[in-house]
Amino acid sequence: MGAFDLLTAKDSEDAQRRIAGALRVLGVQQGDRIALSMTNSPAVINTALGALRSGIFPVMLDPALTDAEREAILQDCTPSLVLTSRADAESLAKGKPVDLAPVPLARPIHYTSGTTGKRKGVFSGLLDEDSARQLLGEETTQWGINSEDRHLVVSGLYHSAPLRFAITTLMNGGDVVVMSRFEPSVFLQAMTHMQPTTMFCAPAHLQRMVDVIDTGVRMPSVVGIRLVAHAGAACPQPLKQRIHHLFEHDAVWEFYGATEGQVTALSPADWLAAPGSVGRARAGRSITIDDNGTIWTTVPDYARFSYWGDEAKTDAAWRGSAFTVGDIGRLDGEFLYLDGRRDDLIISGGVNVYPREVELAFEHAPGVSDIAVFARPDERWGQRVCAAFVGTADTSSLQTWADAHLHPARRPKEYHRVDSIPRSPTGKIRYRFLAQELGLEPPA
């Protein structure tokens, strides 16, 4: 239980079978949900896999959520069991082993924010075994994952991509190294001592690694690292060039997608051919852009999703076999370029933050009569969350309120008192231009 742990496919298989046995004794049945609100550990992966291979849906929650945020999700997904510590999960691994499906029969449920501020559970439904094999096979083929791989988990396992890479590696017989939390020094130690072959990072992780190396810390050997995949936020071109230099050029891939589904992959060769793009459509997918610039992606049946308990939002996300999460982009030949995330979305350190969600948290804050949340560029995190407010509150009281009501990544880092919030004639806040309209940045 140090800064990082090694999980082998053999040990994980044994734990998964025992966890599934324990869940059966507890009366958790196929189609039920269990909530996991824990920091990174092998037990998180084992529990998620033991559930998925039993047809049970693990709901992956960020342990840093406030009590109110967590309770809202639990009320929505109604889990049969809630696990909040590594000890909770490890106690399940003492159950009597049972047989499991050969592959995960579903995707985990991850909650993603919406423009209304209410989180939505992304739900795959229960898959038949053939569809489940195709889902696993897609990830296996895309990244060439095999039994010789050792994957380094860098990000929180409550995010979809880190858990997906870990699951795919174990299901193909490889090992997984789990960092309990990200620290640049620990990241470099894990690379040195555990010799991973693959890793997934957000650009913020790579930036923090580079910052430490620039202080004189030696870069570990990258021999054997065949894949450094990054996504979750735009990667500045200077950082991307640096990463291609620090690692073997052919190892660095980018991909674009969302919790709802994967869209593109950008190989090292394609990065040189189409700088600034996020790549071509993944196998089995096609991309179209509608008249509003919205990106639509067709996916195979096994990659379909719904929003848990929200038929209206599900219907709005689909057009036949194509889905959208509202992102804006353009195609140049086969290559997709993002012109921006959803107009109001802030991505800070790879975490999606919706202004409306933060604004709702301040709805009853003393001394605040109006508030608008927006982004400003940040060298470390990509974007930082800022707030303009009307009222008598001071920064200290607002920070205290945010600490009690918001996840750390969603707490504003700047507060600006204004006489009024700039709005369009129809009353809408133009989030992307708010910093300019407040005179905090020069006009574009």
Side-chain angles (χ1 to χ4, degrees):
M1 296 188 185
F4 46 83
D5 295 287
L6 174 65
L7 176 62
T8 68
K10 181 177 182 300
D11 288 343
S12 181
E13 178 74 17
D14 179 66
Q16 292 170 47
R17 291 179 182 276
R18 292 181 179 278
I19 288 165
L23 292 174
R24 186 176 299 179
V25 169
L26 290 171
V28 184
Q29 302 177 5
Q30 188 176 86
D32 286 353
R33 284 128 344 257
I34 63 171
L36 280 64
S37 179
M38 298 179 282
T39 56
N40 278 12
S41 74
V44 176
I45 306 171
N46 292 337
T47 305
L49 264 174
L52 290 168
R53 293 175 67 188
S54 303
I56 296 166
F57 297 87
V59 182
M60 311 304 297
L61 303 182
D62 182 351
L65 291 172
T66 65
D67 291 344
E69 290 172 319
R70 181 166 51 251
E71 186 59 30
I73 293 175
L74 295 179
Q75 288 183 6
D76 187 59
C77 68
T78 60
S80 300
L81 181 67
V82 180
L83 303 174
T84 59
S85 71
R86 180 171 181 170
D88 286 346
E90 289 179 341
S91 67
L92 292 179
K94 298 176 183 177
K96 182 178 179 180
V98 297
D99 289 338
L100 295 170
V103 290
L105 298 176
R107 292 157 56 186
I109 297 175
H110 297 269
Y111 271 75
T112 181
S113 301
T115 55
T116 62
K118 184 179 182 295
R119 291 181 173 84
K120 309 183 296 293
V122 179
F123 179 60
S124 69
L126 201 62
L127 301 174
D128 60 64
E129 191 171 309
D130 182 60
S131 295
R133 286 185 184 277
Q134 291 181 69
L135 180 64
L136 177 65
E138 179 189 326
E139 284 294 304
T140 300
T141 301
Q142 174 64 55
W143 306 116
I145 295 174
N146 59 71
S147 60
E148 300 300 313
D149 276 321
R150 174 171 286 183
H151 182 72
L152 177 60
V153 174
V154 176
S155 306
L157 289 163
Y158 54 87
H159 289 305
S160 58
L163 185 58
R164 186 170 65 249
F165 273 98
I167 284 175
T168 305
T169 302
L170 290 169
M171 291 306 302
N172 280 280
D175 299 338
V176 172
V177 178
V178 184
M179 292 175 55
S180 58
R181 62 188 180 90
F182 180 81
E183 287 292 343
S185 59
V186 175
F187 182 33
L188 296 174
Q189 290 171 22
M191 287 173 57
T192 299
H193 298 295
M194 305 307 293
Q195 299 182 328
T197 62
T198 67
M199 62 181 72
F200 162 75
C201 306
H205 299 132
L206 298 171
Q207 183 63 63
R208 292 179 66 187
M209 180 195 74
V210 166
D211 291 344
V212 169
I213 291 171
D214 286 344
T215 67
V217 175
R218 187 165 178 259
M219 176 72 179
S221 170
V222 298
V223 173
I225 297 179
R226 66 170 189 82
L227 174 65
V228 180
H230 68 85
C235 187
Q237 288 303 305
L239 174 60
K240 196 170 181 71
Q241 291 168 352
R242 185 75 181 279
I243 296 305
H244 276 261
H245 174 73
L246 289 172
F247 293 92
E248 296 294 334
H249 166 71
D250 289 342
V252 182
W253 283 67
E254 183 174 0
F255 64 90
Y256 160 69
T259 303
E260 288 84 344
Q262 299 308 299
V263 180
T264 70
L266 179 72
S267 71
D270 282 347
W271 174 63
L272 294 175
S277 86
V278 290
R280 311 169 191 251
R282 284 173 52 143
R285 285 157 172 72
S286 63
I287 300 168
T288 58
I289 309 295
D290 69 17
D291 292 342
N292 296 318
T294 303
I295 301 165
W296 292 85
T297 307
T298 60
V299 297
D301 286 344
Y302 62 77
R304 290 187 68 90
F305 69 89
S306 64
Y307 291 118
W308 176 261
D310 199 325
E311 186 176 348
K313 282 189 171 63
T314 300
D315 290 345
W318 287 95
R319 189 174 63 186
S321 60
F323 80 92
T324 186
V325 292
D327 286 345
I328 306 300
R330 54 193 166 83
L331 285 169
D332 185 352
E334 293 183 274
F335 294 101
L336 176 66
Y337 292 79
L338 297 180
D339 290 334
R341 288 282 187 169
R342 284 145 281 187
D343 284 350
D344 55 350
L345 177 64
I346 301 169
I347 303 179
S348 184
V351 177
N352 288 359
V353 181
Y354 282 88
R356 184 58 181 157
E357 185 177 17
V358 181
E359 290 162 3
L360 286 173
F362 283 92
E363 196 170 34
H364 302 292
V368 176
S369 59
D370 199 4
I371 190 166
V373 172
F374 59 100
R376 296 188 68 191
D378 188 286
E379 290 184 359
R380 181 173 183 180
W381 301 110
Q383 292 179 306
R384 64 180 176 274
V385 182
C386 306
F389 71 97
V390 178
T392 59
D394 57 28
T395 297
S396 178
S397 65
L398 293 175
Q399 289 173 336
T400 299
W401 183 269
D403 288 348
H405 293 85
L406 287 166
H407 176 282
R410 296 180 174 88
R411 297 169 190 164
K413 305 301 185 291
E414 296 178 10
Y415 294 90
H416 302 274
R417 183 185 284 108
V418 296
D419 293 329
S420 63
I421 302 296
R423 284 182 164 83
S424 71
T426 58
K428 294 182 179 180
I429 301 171
R430 298 199 308 162
Y431 290 102
R432 293 174 64 187
F433 307 101
L434 190 54
Q436 298 168 16
E437 293 179 4
L438 294 174
L440 301 173
E441 294 176 6

